[in-house]
Amino acid sequence: MTTTQRIIPSIGIPPYLVGDVQSKLGYIDENILLGRVSPAGDQIELTLETPVNEEQAANIENKVQRMVLSMVQGAFKPKIQVLEDHMDRAVPYNGDPNEELFARGEMSQEDTGIFTLGPLMSRLIDYFEGKFLILADSFDARPYRFPTLIPAKLLGRINYFKAFPHSLSFVTHLREDLDVIDQFAHSATCDEHGLNAPLDSFAPIPALLSPAVCYHLYFSLADKPLPGGQLTATAVGHCYRYESTNLISLERLWNFSLREVIFVGSKDFVLANRDEARKRMQDSFAEFGIAYRVESATDPFFVGEFRKQTAFQSAFQLKFEIRASLPFKNSTLAVGSYNYHQDFFGRNLNITLPDGSAAHTACVGFGLERMAYAFLAQFGFDQKNWPEAVRKAVAE
Amino acid sequence: MDRQNLQVRLQEMVADALQVPASDVPETLAFGEIPQWDSMGHMTVIMVLEERFGLDIDAGMIASLTSIPAMCDYLQDKVNGS
């Protein structure tokens, strides 16, 4: 039986932080099924899986207050810069695509945040990815293939554990010990929460599921001069970010695919190419017919780092998101982003340019499942209503 | 406060914020010139600057206040009301 806990935050949550605070509520306590912040930022409502006693309620409230204070006190109001606005593009559909996707077998849920996709979704994804590959080719990007696993020691070098601890997905294996392996084989069971096995059966965590594509390129370039002083690369990969109660349909997957075009070199080189990539994508997005805008954004840093990191990203305009309209919920969804990391990776991974300075990096990334989902949310399932280019390419 | 004194106060403030010896903070030090003045270091500098000088810095200024001379100019402009 679920129960509700209401909390008045000790400091008002400004409108520009309501969404960010709300997205972190699921990480407060394992008992939280859903967290909402009122639009005015003066009340937080938590839906709890099981009733709590006074002490437990006080403990949850303390954690909520601590988090709110850390994110809100002294926060800098971001200056939103809109680079493109095509939200007025007329689209023919405003239904909720989820029910139809399930009914048609185009989407089936294996578990929270884990979905398989059917033929139509797969063809749409192939179509969009083909367009992103044309973009990559227009920069003569060199193709790479990266693993799904990423070594823990490499993520440690770029301070990932401090910035995004909440979204990590760990990988381990059984300890190399015959008794441990035999014991596991005979006694391991699963319940609704997952696998049951003694924690000491598992080896220390050597790797994680990769949260981004471009990190692998930077790691491959670490601790040496960058040949030729610049590099443009492209790769597609599965990425993993655990998003707790925010894992909703295809909008927010634990496991999703990204096609990236990555630039490494001088500041001028990577910034010019990031901007050029955005300009070149305008024609493609016009062909898709999608209603969207491109605006400044920040990454979902965790509570302790949130205030400083988001303020820095926003002030230096390091990230711009492509936000596609979701008419059925009068909202938008980030389907891609144009990112500049300054010399963060160059410095931390010791990637050097011919003059000895640290390399700068930028990447443009496109979320493939989200692109297909946003398209169906705007154009529906009747292909007669689709833009001609998409209909021809994806014809069943 | 004259510029010379302001500069010295800013050097002390930056050294405190970045937790480095004052001798590591020359009067022209800028973002990125020492490892401690990275992105996180910069935001610490901005927050300590607000605290020490009783300011409420607009987010749009964060990317401009990237050196001691730039902070000096900013503070002098504030004092002069421009």
Side-chain angles (χ1 to χ4, degrees):
Chain A
M1 188 184 73
T2 63
T3 183
T4 302
Q5 182 174 356
R6 291 187 179 82
I7 295 168
I8 307 295
S10 60
I11 182 170
I13 302 167
Y16 63 90
L17 285 179
V18 163
D20 290 303
V21 171
Q22 184 167 286
S23 72
K24 297 293 189 296
L25 291 172
Y27 300 101
I28 294 277
D29 193 278
E30 289 172 323
N31 200 6
I32 294 174
L33 288 176
L34 188 69
R36 290 265 175 254
V37 179
S38 64
D42 56 357
Q43 185 168 307
I44 291 170
E45 187 175 294
L46 304 174
T47 304
L48 306 177
E49 190 173 6
T50 56
V52 289
N53 61 31
E54 235 173 77
E55 189 187 340
Q56 290 165 323
N59 182 39
I60 289 175
E61 171 155 5
N62 281 341
K63 288 193 278 185
V64 168
Q65 299 291 13
R66 198 171 84 215
M67 184 193 81
V68 169
L69 213 57
S70 173
M71 292 177 74
V72 173
Q73 198 170 42
F76 294 90
K77 186 182 178 184
K79 207 173 171 183
I80 302 295
Q81 189 186 357
V82 177
L83 299 183
E84 293 175 44
D85 192 342
H86 307 284
M87 293 298 274
D88 58 353
R89 210 169 258 169
V91 294
Y93 191 72
N94 62 7
D96 181 345
N98 290 292
E99 205 172 304
E100 191 85 14
L101 282 166
F102 277 123
R104 288 169 174 252
E106 285 295 334
M107 174 170 94
S108 63
Q109 185 163 9
E110 294 187 354
D111 209 331
T112 306
I114 307 173
F115 288 83
T116 55
L117 302 179
L120 177 65
M121 282 294 287
S122 300
R123 278 197 289 268
L124 273 172
I125 284 173
D126 286 345
Y127 166 71
F128 290 124
E129 201 193 353
K131 295 294 178 182
F132 302 139
L133 273 169
I134 290 171
L135 173 76
D137 285 344
S138 73
F139 286 99
D140 290 327
R142 303 174 72 181
Y144 282 76
R145 293 183 70 81
F146 299 130
T148 288
L149 301 184
I150 195 158
K153 61 187 174 194
L154 294 181
L155 283 182
R157 278 187 75 175
I158 56 168
N159 300 322
Y160 199 87
F161 302 138
K162 203 172 177 186
F164 304 101
H166 55 306
S167 62
L168 296 168
S169 303
F170 302 96
V171 176
T172 185
H173 54 81
L174 291 174
R175 287 168 45 218
E176 286 100 334
D177 181 313
L178 186 60
D179 294 334
V180 169
I181 297 170
D182 275 346
Q183 172 68 17
F184 177 89
H186 287 108
S187 65
T189 57
C190 287
D191 60 22
E192 75 270 26
H193 300 298
L195 179 66
N196 285 314
L199 282 179
D200 62 5
S201 307
F202 299 106
I205 295 162
L208 292 94
L209 294 171
S210 192
V213 174
C214 59
Y215 294 172
H216 292 279
L217 180 71
Y218 309 143
F219 293 141
S220 76
L221 301 172
D223 300 316
K224 47 186 179 273
L226 181 67
Q230 62 188 48
L231 172 66
T232 302
T234 186
V236 66
H238 281 275
C239 297
Y240 304 83
R241 295 176 197 170
Y242 180 70
E243 303 238 15
S244 183
T245 53
N246 307 310
L247 291 166
I248 301 166
S249 72
L250 300 184
E251 289 177 44
R252 213 164 275 280
L253 294 164
W254 189 355
N255 172 185
F256 58 96
S257 321
L258 270 182
R259 164 62 66 178
E260 289 196 23
V261 184
I262 310 157
F263 306 102
V264 187
S266 67
K267 177 181 178 179
D268 289 347
F269 172 76
V270 305
L271 274 178
N273 280 317
R274 180 183 74 156
D275 198 40
E276 181 60 27
R278 181 183 64 77
K279 287 175 184 158
R280 289 184 194 178
M281 279 311 296
Q282 283 182 325
D283 287 345
S284 294
F285 278 106
E287 190 178 305
F288 305 158
I290 291 238
Y292 75 100
R293 66 172 176 262
V294 177
E295 66 179 24
S296 54
T298 56
D299 282 315
F301 295 100
F302 198 56
V303 178
E305 298 278 292
F306 176 84
R307 195 165 35 121
K308 284 187 192 176
Q309 294 272 28
T310 53
F312 186 84
Q313 257 192 338
S314 173
F316 285 83
Q317 304 199 326
L318 303 183
K319 184 179 193 73
F320 291 93
E321 282 181 344
I322 306 160
R323 299 202 66 90
S325 166
L326 293 182
F328 74 99
K329 58 196 296 190
N330 196 23
S331 178
T332 60
L333 177 68
V335 297
S337 60
Y338 303 102
N339 307 286
Y340 170 46
H341 317 113
Q342 298 180 317
D343 62 353
F344 175 80
F345 293 106
R347 272 189 294 110
N348 283 282
L349 299 174
N350 190 27
I351 307 167
T352 51
L353 298 177
D355 66 2
S357 64
H360 287 238
T361 58
C363 70
V364 301
F366 303 99
L368 301 179
E369 293 86 355
R370 282 186 176 188
M371 269 301 307
Y373 179 79
F375 178 83
L376 289 175
Q378 294 188 18
F379 289 91
F381 295 82
D382 184 347
Q383 296 187 17
K384 288 199 300 287
N385 295 328
W386 288 12
E388 191 183 356
V390 187
R391 192 171 62 241
K392 276 185 180 164
V394 184
E396 286 187 276
Chain B
M1 185 181 293
D2 65 34
R3 190 173 177 91
Q4 182 63 37
N5 281 336
L6 191 54
Q7 204 154 276
V8 171
R9 277 189 68 189
L10 283 169
Q11 283 175 266
E12 287 167 2
M13 182 277 292
V14 169
D16 290 346
L18 300 177
Q19 297 184 321
V20 297
S23 55
D24 286 359
V25 182
E27 60 188 33
T28 57
L29 190 70
F31 169 71
E33 289 184 353
I34 58 173
Q36 291 84 356
W37 200 342
D38 59 5
S39 56
M40 290 296 278
H42 184 60
M43 292 314 302
T44 306
V45 167
I46 295 292
M47 286 194 275
V48 176
L49 180 68
E50 281 191 325
E51 196 183 291
R52 292 267 174 101
F53 291 87
L55 302 166
D56 189 8
I57 295 172
D58 183 81
M61 285 304 299
I62 294 171
S64 305
L65 299 173
T66 51
S67 69
I68 290 176
M71 290 178 195
C72 215
D73 293 343
Y74 173 74
L75 288 171
Q76 287 198 310
D77 285 349
K78 280 266 170 199
V79 170
N80 296 333
S82 56

